[in-house]
Amino acid sequence: MCSPEYFAVEYAINPWMDVTTPVDRDLAVKQWDRLRETLVGLGHEVHLLTAEQGLPDMVYAANGGFVVDGTVYGARFKHEQRAAEAAAHHAFYEAQGWRFIAPSETNEGEGDFAYVPEAHGGLILAGHGFRTEIPAHAEAQEALGRPVVSLRLIDPRFYHLDVALAAIDDTNVVYFPGAFSAASQRVLTQLFPDAVIADDEDAMAFGLNLVSDGANVVLNSEATRLAGKLKAAGYTPVPVELAELKKGGGSVKCCIAELRH
């Protein structure tokens, strides 16, 4: 995770960002701290990436890489405003001793890659359409040695895979069908017949931008309907208030890069 101490909405690179809406940075830090404390309280170890001035989106740490079995496939951001973040993530992973593979193709880390480790032997789900380019899907497959399933995003509000779909345990996912092309919806139905299906209201509340440890699902507190669906499916919803960070187009998942040993 990376503190939002320099967080601001200084430019608009997704439909959620409005440069005329003020951001309360102190409140953003408080909400982010609560998210970090929630993860620690659930028994998870949180490593911190040092925020850098001039990179207001660094708080969205998930976008800086994608880790599977101790190997990191690095990020290469689409927009120049975020390009320098990639080097900070690279340095973090190298300092931690992770195997790092630098990308040649445009991709935004866990923003557009999700890992479902025991589904069909271990699948990477990969989004494209707005940020990550399709050639990055093949590059990730070579880097990580896991089959990659390409999914086309068609709604600019859901510009990253991680605002439309999330792994909720080692075999299953939750997703909003309307974010995907008809063909990609059919692929998801085939791969995950027992998926939890979200609706437009869940998605607009950033409910799908969640993190799950297989039992506890940490999600935006606004996504009350989705929390109910997850509870009915046997998971424990853990709501967290992140209204300030939502102004930049992100929520729980965007703030968390998962380190998979």
Side-chain angles (χ1 to χ4, degrees), residues 10 23 41 63 72-74 82 90 96 111 116 132 138 154 158-159 172 180 183 209 220 235 239 247-248 254 257:
E10 297 173 349
V23 169
N63 302 152
V72 186
Y73 174 54
R82 299 195 65 186
H90 187 173
Q96 297 280 333
V116 195
T132 295
I154 59 167
F158 311 114
Y159 60 94
N172 206 9
F180 298 94
N209 195 239
N220 194 301
Y235 303 90
K247 292 175 181 176
C254 288

Side-chain angles (χ1 to χ4, degrees), residues 182-256:
S184 293
Q185 289 181 41
R186 290 196 295 273
V187 169
L188 286 167
T189 301
Q190 290 173 58
L191 291 174
F192 302 103
D194 301 318
V196 176
I197 302 300
D199 60 24
D200 189 76
E201 184 179 314
D202 300 326
M204 291 295 286
F206 271 75
L208 291 153
N209 195 239
L210 61 79
V211 166
S212 174
D213 59 16
N216 305 290
V217 181
V218 184
L219 78 168
N220 194 301
S221 58
E222 293 176 38
T224 53
R225 280 166 57 99
L226 185 59
K229 291 172 189 173
L230 290 163
K231 190 170 186 180
Y235 303 90
T236 302
V238 183
V240 178
E241 169 65 52
L242 282 179
E244 288 306 299
L245 292 169
K246 189 180 170 189
K247 292 175 181 176
S251 188
V252 173
K253 175 62 204 165
C254 288
C255 293
I256 300 165

Side-chain angles (χ1 to χ4, degrees), residues 73 105-107 113 126-141 148 150-152:
Y73 174 54
E105 306 294 344
T106 300
N107 83 90
F113 290 107
H128 68 94
F130 297 101
R131 298 289 184 86
T132 295
E133 303 290 343
I134 285 185
H137 295 183
E139 191 174 60
Q141 182 168 280
V148 173
S150 294
L151 301 168
R152 184 169 161 244

